[in-house]
Amino acid sequence: MSFSSLGLSAPLLRAVNDEGYSAPFPIQAQAIPAVLSGRDVMAAAQTGTGKTASYTLPMLQRLATGPRARANHIRALVLTPTRELAIQVAGNVAVYGRHLSLTSGLVYGGVKINPQMMRLRRGIDVLVATPGRLLDLFSKNAVTFSQVEILVLDEADRMLDMGFLKDIYKLMALLPKKRQNLLFSATFSEEIRQLTDTFLEAPVMIEVSPRNTSAQSVKQWAYEVDKGRKGALLSHLIRTHGWAQVLVFTRTKKGADRLVRDLGEDGVLAVAIHGDKSQGQRSRALADFKANKSRVLVATDLAARGLDINELPRVINFELPKVSENYIHRIGRTGRAGLEGEGISLVSADEVTLLSAIESLIRQTLVREVDPDFVPTFKVPLTRQVNVRPKKPKKPKKKGNSSACASGGPAGD
Ligand code: AMP
């Protein structure tokens, strides 16, 4: 299968070629023709599957014909849960649209609003936004939605996790009723299904990899270790294996800062990325990590959402996530675009219930290792002795109708 067989126009095929993509990924093969046909799409796809191109390429093609955005208007709106994902998507829009004359822009919270208001004055064909800041801009009359033709909700599950449901409904009530809706979500909870029932019309359903199974290209295992020795084990592993680029997940912001400090004292250069850091600090931390200036990037789950770090070789779970599905999101940071990756969890005895829930979700038992210098005093019990009932994932429902409703007040992002 080639990109040209999907009905993409020459400028987009050129852009894809510039990027060195030789063939479409499965989600692209399915979503591109569906989006080009003008239908609503509901796709179950994790990050790393190529989902951004799967909606961006056909969206740009549809926008390429038709009048440009008028002053303060936008024609396509991509909503994302986090600034990092917004930056990522806006970057992709610019790359894939480089041979077209469409304009694109990016708005998110935590930075000055005035430059964003100025930019919107000229009108923007594709706007990538986080919900809270977009509502702020609307309340300041900086943006008008009457020209919107396409709405994309990217990582819809995460938007709901972050409490954006009210904002989303509020925004949907402001958009024209006649529009194309595209929804991407890694998982499908009851709330997501309600959302899709409310605003998708007879969507094309796409499911590329079985939900709730973590990336096949990622080799996953666990180190058993005492809780208080995790930091020492981590720097030991980094140094003995000579790992150059490691993304480490902690459960809390404080934990992330503490780990950065401990690793630093051990001579391992690490930086943290989390919600208490300013946008400048977050961007710098990410840029330094990408440029191999720091060896370790320590992140919380929210901050890491949407990070796309090329050829990231491994992800470490310093602590297991409380929400099992975050394990899949974390592991999805590596082994992307068909490359091999490693997902390593440092597990202490008190985390056995979390481990068990994760293993039920991914339907595999993680192989365990013990480093001879870090033999745990408290052994992690075998998970089959732990009683957790695996939750059955729900199938996305087929059809819905399109009526948007308003509710609630804005919440900033
Ligand atoms: P995404 O799931 O959209 O975050 O994309 C994951 C990664 O796959 C990004 O680094 C893309 O540049 C890359 N990618 C997307 N589509 C293709 C393709 N057809 N061939 C090779 N790489 C791709």
Side-chain angles (χ1 to χ4, degrees):
M1 162 114 30
S2 66
F3 274 103
S4 54
S5 67
L6 299 176
L8 288 174
S9 61
L12 292 162
L13 291 175
R14 261 177 76 198
V16 162
N17 197 38
D18 295 343
E19 286 308 287
Y21 300 171
S22 49
F25 286 162
I27 184 147
Q28 295 161 353
Q30 293 185 57
I32 289 172
V35 178
L36 284 176
S37 78
R39 296 219 11 218
D40 282 2
V41 169
M42 171 178 178
Q46 295 161 18
T47 30
T49 52
K51 70 178 166 58
T52 319
S54 82
Y55 66 77
T56 306
L57 290 166
M59 173 177 77
L60 291 170
Q61 178 153 334
R62 284 176 61 74
L63 294 170
T65 54
R68 293 292 174 267
R70 299 194 295 275
N72 292 103
H73 284 68
I74 60 173
R75 296 173 60 214
L77 172 61
V78 183
L79 287 178
T80 71
T82 62
R83 312 158 206 202
E84 279 75 17
L85 182 62
I87 293 168
Q88 196 77 57
V89 171
N92 283 358
V93 169
V95 163
Y96 299 138
R98 68 159 80 93
H99 302 299
L100 295 167
S101 59
L102 295 167
T103 54
S104 61
L106 169 64
V107 297
Y108 50 80
V111 293
K112 284 194 188 120
I113 200 166
N114 271 16
Q116 298 177 352
M117 293 175 70
M118 303 269 282
R119 176 64 193 87
L120 276 160
R121 265 193 218 156
R122 279 172 279 148
I124 294 176
D125 291 311
V126 180
L127 181 70
V128 185
T130 52
R133 176 51 64 95
L134 186 61
L135 279 169
D136 288 346
L137 286 159
F138 178 77
S139 69
K140 291 182 186 301
N141 294 325
V143 60
T144 306
F145 297 116
S146 58
Q147 233 189 313
V148 171
E149 299 161 44
I150 302 174
L151 169 69
V152 183
L153 292 186
D154 198 350
E155 298 195 352
D157 50 346
R158 182 50 58 128
M159 274 196 262
L160 301 198
D161 289 349
M162 291 177 66
F164 283 135
L165 187 65
K166 281 181 177 174
D167 285 356
I168 290 169
Y169 276 114
K170 217 168 179 193
L171 282 166
M172 279 178 350
L174 300 169
L175 302 180
K177 290 248 172 323
K178 191 174 160 324
R179 59 171 198 260
Q180 184 177 23
N181 300 294
L182 314 173
L183 180 139
F184 291 78
S185 187
T187 52
F188 279 87
S189 63
E190 192 51 42
E191 265 181 320
I192 292 274
R193 298 200 303 133
Q194 274 168 17
L195 187 70
T196 55
D197 282 356
T198 312
F199 89 105
L200 294 190
E201 193 168 321
V204 175
M205 316 283 293
I206 297 173
E207 194 169 7
V208 282
S209 59
R211 276 172 302 121
N212 301 344
T213 58
S214 44
Q216 297 299 315
S217 54
V218 182
K219 190 171 164 242
Q220 302 163 58
W221 74 97
Y223 275 101
E224 291 185 43
V225 59
D226 282 335
K227 199 180 178 69
R229 299 198 71 203
K230 284 188 177 184
L233 172 61
L234 180 59
S235 47
H236 168 80
L237 290 173
I238 290 172
R239 275 193 271 106
T240 50
H241 294 283
W243 291 338
Q245 219 185 16
V246 190
L247 176 62
V248 180
F249 284 94
T250 58
R251 218 180 284 145
T252 63
K253 299 174 211 169
K254 265 199 185 140
D257 287 335
R258 205 179 312 124
L259 182 59
V260 165
R261 199 195 53 218
D262 291 350
L263 288 173
E265 282 171 4
D266 234 4
V268 178
L269 194 57
V271 285
I273 187 166
H274 59 62
D276 282 352
K277 302 272 179 190
S278 70
Q279 185 52 36
Q281 287 172 319
R282 289 157 68 148
S283 305
R284 230 178 358 263
L286 187 58
D288 282 354
F289 182 66
K290 283 187 174 179
N292 286 318
K293 283 191 199 154
S294 56
R295 213 166 175 184
V296 181
L297 182 67
V298 184
T300 54
D301 289 300
L302 284 189
R305 192 71 173 180
L307 291 185
D308 183 14
I309 300 158
N310 272 344
E311 301 178 21
L312 179 66
R314 68 187 53 77
V315 166
I316 311 269
N317 292 310
F318 188 75
E319 289 142 335
L320 292 180
K322 284 225 158 96
V323 177
S324 313
E325 283 177 349
N326 281 343
Y327 176 86
I328 295 172
H329 295 313
R330 289 177 177 190
I331 296 295
R333 310 282 107 209
T334 181
R336 305 179 82 165
L339 295 165
E340 302 262 298
E342 290 178 348
I344 304 160
S345 300
L346 310 188
V347 183
S348 48
D350 59 306
E351 292 177 303
V352 67
T353 319
L354 299 176
L355 179 64
S356 185
I358 289 165
E359 290 181 343
S360 305
L361 183 71
I362 62 173
R363 296 189 202 104
Q364 60 171 288
T365 306
L366 292 184
V367 171
R368 296 184 186 191
E369 284 189 21
V370 172
D371 187 286
D373 292 335
F374 291 86
V375 177
T377 315
F378 302 100
K379 254 198 93 45
V380 184
L382 291 177
T383 38
R384 65 185 129 79
Q385 294 167 352
V386 179
N387 185 19
V388 286
R389 233 182 308 142
K391 270 199 220 144
K392 247 183 141 188
K394 282 178 181 133
K395 276 253 161 223
K397 252 204 307 203
K398 268 243 148 95
K399 224 203 86 86
N401 46 35
S402 68
S403 69
C405 65
S407 68
D413 51 298

